[in-house]
DNA sequence: CGGAAAACTTAAGCTGGTTTAAGAAAGATG
DNA sequence: CATCTTTCTTAAACCAGCTTAAGTTTTCCG
């Protein structure tokens, strides 16, 4: 189970299975039900999560009570409200399971101790954040570069399987438009294909 | 001069001035003219930059030849096309000086060697990327949460001094709208204040 | 300096995407 | 498996922000 995490770490840095075994006590295995919140906007954010199975999303509440999704996490991604987690502030985002999920969690205190005891893990997390940062920049690039329709097509062609797994409402929110407009797009494209 | 970088590193991790002195050969001091490109879209990206003085921006070219600005870097910020730099790919973004600037640069090879020789620097860059990632997420949050007008007001109140230093054209692009619309906003707000 | 280029302003017309509202389909839950 | 709730669709009216185009001001640089 936690073997998946070991593989993931080993893909980035040199690590012995002995070292990994010694680190295990810092991690906890968690079973999460669909729609369960792991981090809640406005509450402290004490854990960081690694997805073994299923999927998570991150969103914040808009003034009219809607949920604006800004990220997804699937297998092999870490997710939390990084800012709140690292600074010990209250969360600006909610992290919620989209499907039943298995995740590994680590608390802020354990993370600090882990990094102190196994400094080579700094390198692993440096790479993780480097990649997350790069991905977030590309996200911004696409938001500006593509029209809503292009953005949808781009995402649909990049993650055809994932798109089947998630409610259109959430997808529309992630892409930055209304579910109504997504309906319109799909209808238009279905007609076009005939 | 490079003392500024030492201070910045020391703010994040424990480091002796001896260690820093030993690391100095990896860094180069650079004088950059206004509008000079440090990274060019489409070309390899081999350097990472730390701003001592002045300011940089990151942009990409839109289909109609415009420049879409997506980030600024002022004193004490690192900037490069992270994805291209770390993976050795060609750059998706251009990094350009907005004002005459003094920066410290480090090449990819030197960065790799630096991290191998001084592993504690992994911790420093882990924190740098963590913060950059968090900032980029907030950027996405604001893009979705705020209307263009609110986004402008938010930015104007957060960085009143910086706003004076940069052309409106670039600011408008960063905020995601046209210079014409920015003019309109300013006019409207000037009238409102009377 | 002085002339050219770049940046900024103004205003009218236009459009991609929102809002609203109501019905149809699909999922959840006892 | 029936009901309640949530999600999805459709369509019309609407608007924030864009485009275009022309004039004005500022900056650049020889």
């Amino acid at each position: 189970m936690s073997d998946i995490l070991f593989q993931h770490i080993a893909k980035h840095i040199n690590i012995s299975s002995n070292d990994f075994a010694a680190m295990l006590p810092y991690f906890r295995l968690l079973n999460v039900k669909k729609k369960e919140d792991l981090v809640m906007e406005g509450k402290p954010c004490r854990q960081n999560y690694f997805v073994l199975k299923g999927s998570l999303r991150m969103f914040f509440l808009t003034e009219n009570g809607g949920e604006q999704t800004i990220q997804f996490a699937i297998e092999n991604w870490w997710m939390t409200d990084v800012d709140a987690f690292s600074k010990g502030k209250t969360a600006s985002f909610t992290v919620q399971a989209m499907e039943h999920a298995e995740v590994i969690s680590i608390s802020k205190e354990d993370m600090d101790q882990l990094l102190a005891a196994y400094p080579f893990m700094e390198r692993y997390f440096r790479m993780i954040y480097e990649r997350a940062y790069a991905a977030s920049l590309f996200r911004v690039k696409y938001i500006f570069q593509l029209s809503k329709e292009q953005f949808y097509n781009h995402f649909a062609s990049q993650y055809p399987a994932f798109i089947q797994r998630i409610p259109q409402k959430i997808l529309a929110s992630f892409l930055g438009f209304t579910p109504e407009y997504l309906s319109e797009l799909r209808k238009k494209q279905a007609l076009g294909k005939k």
Side-chain angles (χ1 to χ4, degrees), chain A:
Chain A
M1 195 62 351
S2 59
D3 191 54
I4 299 179
L5 177 56
F6 176 61
Q7 296 303 331
H8 190 253
I9 298 175
K11 207 188 297 177
H12 291 85
I13 63 173
N14 279 324
I15 181 174
S16 69
S17 50
N18 275 350
D19 271 344
F20 183 70
M23 284 167 26
L24 265 184
Y26 292 103
F27 298 107
R28 281 192 334 171
L29 190 60
L30 230 63
N31 241 291
V32 193
K33 273 188 300 192
K34 189 173 176 168
K35 296 220 175 183
E36 194 176 327
D37 291 336
L38 293 173
V39 176
M40 291 179 75
E41 189 176 336
K43 300 267 172 77
C45 167
R46 305 194 201 285
Q47 307 280 329
N48 200 353
Y49 301 94
F50 179 82
V51 181
L52 298 170
K53 210 180 144 191
S55 54
L56 312 179
R57 69 182 174 115
M58 178 181 278
F59 64 85
F60 63 88
L61 299 174
T62 61
E63 51 210 291
N64 31 331
E67 297 175 352
Q68 175 63 54
T69 297
I70 67 164
Q71 284 202 113
F72 299 119
I74 55 176
E75 289 77 8
N76 284 327
W77 274 86
W78 285 92
M79 179 174 267
T80 195
D81 179 336
V82 176
D83 193 57
F85 178 75
S86 77
K87 296 184 189 160
K89 304 195 303 185
T90 61
S92 304
F93 305 100
T94 296
V95 174
Q96 186 181 85
M98 282 203 296
E99 313 166 291
H100 169 85
E102 284 169 30
V103 304
I104 283 176
S105 77
I106 183 168
S107 70
K108 173 69 166 120
E109 300 76 55
D110 284 341
M111 179 80 123
D112 289 341
Q113 288 180 31
L114 174 77
L115 291 172
Y118 304 90
F120 60 79
M121 287 296 285
E122 293 281 7
R123 181 172 170 82
Y124 170 68
F125 283 107
R126 191 260 297 165
M127 291 171 158
I128 294 302
Y129 285 126
E130 188 174 287
R131 191 165 63 133
Y133 172 45
S136 185
L137 276 194
F138 272 104
R139 176 92 200 285
V140 175
K141 177 171 181 175
Y142 291 136
I143 290 174
F144 283 129
Q145 186 170 45
L146 307 176
S147 71
K148 309 266 163 167
E149 181 169 8
Q150 287 174 318
F151 199 15
Y152 166 69
N153 289 332
H154 175 81
F155 192 81
S157 68
Q158 198 121 58
Y159 306 100
F162 185 63
I163 239 179
Q164 306 302 330
R165 280 159 66 185
I166 66 178
Q168 294 199 19
K169 191 187 171 183
I170 289 175
L171 176 60
S173 149
F174 175 77
L175 295 171
F177 48 76
T178 58
E180 291 80 4
Y181 187 60
L182 180 51
S183 265
E184 207 172 289
L185 281 183
R186 300 194 99 156
K187 185 182 163 194
K188 196 172 95 183
Q189 306 210 339
L191 289 174
K193 275 185 191 165
K194 276 184 191 166

